[in-house]
Amino acid sequence: MTVVVLPTLVESTYCKSLWISAKSFSACVCVCVRAGDRLCSTEDCMPGTGVYLRHGYIYSSLAGYVLRKNEGEELPVISVVRETEAQLLPDVGAIVTCKVRFGELLMSTTDVKEDVRATEKDRYISVSLLSGAQMVPISWCEMQCPRTHAKEFRKVARVQPEYLQA
Amino acid sequence: MAGLELLSDQGYRLDGRKATELRKVHARMGLFAQVDGSAYIEQGNTKALAVVYGSHEDRAARLHDRAVINCQYSMATFSTAERKRRPHGDRKSTEMSLHLKQTFEAAVLTNLYPRSQIDIYVKILQSDGGNYSACVNAATLAVIDAGIPMRDYVCACTAGFVDETPLADLCHAEESGGGTSLALALLPRGGHIDHLETLMEAAMTACKGVSKVLDEVVRQHLQEVSALTGE
């Protein structure tokens, strides 16, 4: 399943298994640190993942390697990652391959056209084509895009009305 | 038994250690592939195994803003000299589980995982004093192996007192020898906020106040009794 990363997916707390092949990153990996190591002060870097702030300093919260990413004019982002290849977090807009652990729906084929958004509304996943329109279920196993009228086979989950955003 | 002193005149303990010497520590991480984190530790003859299931959905959704940490402490039936009848569920295990839970709730950054649950299971395979400390240390390694973020390592050890000499890392004979002992777990890098001093002072002042009240009650009672019986 190919996914375009949106900010909400990265923050989702239930997506545990995440194989990431990020398209591009700029990083420099050097030092091995342990949880509790002081890395730098908040004036030198912005905190990324795997770190926490305390009294104006950035400390590591994992045992791993320090990653410093230069974002541009802003301060570099400092994170601690466990394995250098697999755990680099993708930027928004990167193409990733992902497996949803707690979602009810889909085992989709690797169709590059698809754009899956995982939201936090009780693990409800809505599917939309890259045309951007939300697909409408027409039967228990078929969905149709209202714009292009393309039909796709999808298992349709019934969402309870109180969770549906109008 | 003659000669079985906890601390000899030359300053050697039962197992030949000096007073502040720790037992030999062997530890391994990442023992099992099926679980998220695991670790095994040997402190002298005490052996502990810890297994961590990383943050997963908490079906009861008990805390909306952070993770719940479940701990279970148990001892293997073969861990003590006499076969242990009730490995878990007894009062001591429940109490140790609660201590472990409180310890790790302070160290793990639970606010990163709202509405989830982290499970820590620790088993004592061989018990020779310092059970709780071995558990805490094994659990720390297992949590790190699982990649769960923590403020700092949680390190634990016991200490005791014999003839005004403090001993570090007590074995079973020293713990059950009848002297004082203390098990301490802390975050060693100074992330530890310690309220013990202030609490002790407040409690001591309060106890002195209680002592005055009790004194008054006793005096009054004596006066009443002597008034009744006549001088």
Side-chain angles (χ1 to χ4, degrees), chain B residues 14-178:
Chain B
L14 288 170
D15 47 11
R17 283 184 288 155
K18 290 280 194 179
T20 52
E21 205 179 318
L22 300 180
R23 292 178 288 183
K24 208 165 188 183
V25 177
H26 283 127
R28 287 275 314 275
M29 289 166 64
L31 306 161
F32 305 121
Q34 313 93 307
V35 298
D36 295 326
S38 53
Y40 170 74
I41 196 167
E42 281 182 21
Q43 270 180 246
N45 288 326
T46 301
K47 302 181 167 127
L49 181 67
V51 160
V52 168
Y53 288 94
S55 64
H56 51 275
E57 183 202 358
D58 179 13
R59 294 215 170 263
R62 281 164 279 184
L63 294 175
H64 67 281
D65 59 342
R66 37 183 218 281
V68 169
I69 299 197
N70 276 342
C71 285
Q72 197 190 48
Y73 167 94
S74 68
M75 299 180 70
T77 49
F78 47 82
S79 62
T80 46
E82 276 186 20
R83 185 172 182 276
K84 199 154 173 60
R85 287 271 196 86
R86 207 169 163 205
H88 44 249
D90 62 328
R91 188 150 53 159
K92 186 173 162 235
S93 297
T94 325
E95 196 186 323
M96 293 283 218
S97 305
L98 187 61
H99 285 313
L100 272 175
K101 178 185 158 79
Q102 288 169 344
T103 305
F104 281 91
E105 270 175 357
V108 171
L109 300 174
T110 50
N111 50 314
L112 295 174
Y113 301 109
R115 295 192 299 275
S116 355
Q117 174 179 315
I118 298 173
D119 297 322
I120 304 179
Y121 297 104
V122 196
K123 200 167 195 69
I124 296 280
L125 300 176
Q126 189 169 305
S127 160
D128 184 28
N131 289 346
Y132 177 69
S133 319
C135 281
V136 167
N137 297 331
T140 295
L141 289 177
V143 169
I144 290 175
D145 187 40
I148 295 171
M150 287 210 287
R151 286 200 177 78
D152 195 354
Y153 290 7
V154 188
C155 305
C157 197
T158 48
F161 232 69
V162 165
D163 295 337
E164 316 213 356
T165 317
L167 301 179
D169 200 5
L170 307 173
C171 64
H172 180 70
E174 289 164 343
E175 269 181 2
S176 51

Side-chain angles (χ1 to χ4, degrees), chain A residues 24 87 90 95 112 114 117 135 141 144 147 155:
Chain A
S24 65
Q87 291 273 336
I95 307 288
V112 196
E114 304 284 319
R117 281 163 221 251
M135 287 175 98
C141 61
Q144 185 178 34
R147 247 185 254 172
K155 182 176 164 196

Side-chain angles (χ1 to χ4, degrees), chain A residues 14 23 45 52 54 57 59 65 75 87 92-93 100 103 107-108 114-115 117 121 132 136-137 153-154 156 160 163:
Chain A
Y14 300 131
K23 279 178 84 176
C45 291
Y52 69 96
R54 193 171 150 252
Y57 287 98
Y59 293 81
Y65 300 94
L75 292 174
Q87 291 273 336
V92 172
V100 177
M107 285 315 197
S108 132
E114 304 284 319
D115 165 15
R117 281 163 221 251
K121 297 188 181 63
V136 172
F153 284 106
R154 289 282 177 271
V156 176
Q160 283 156 13
Y163 294 120

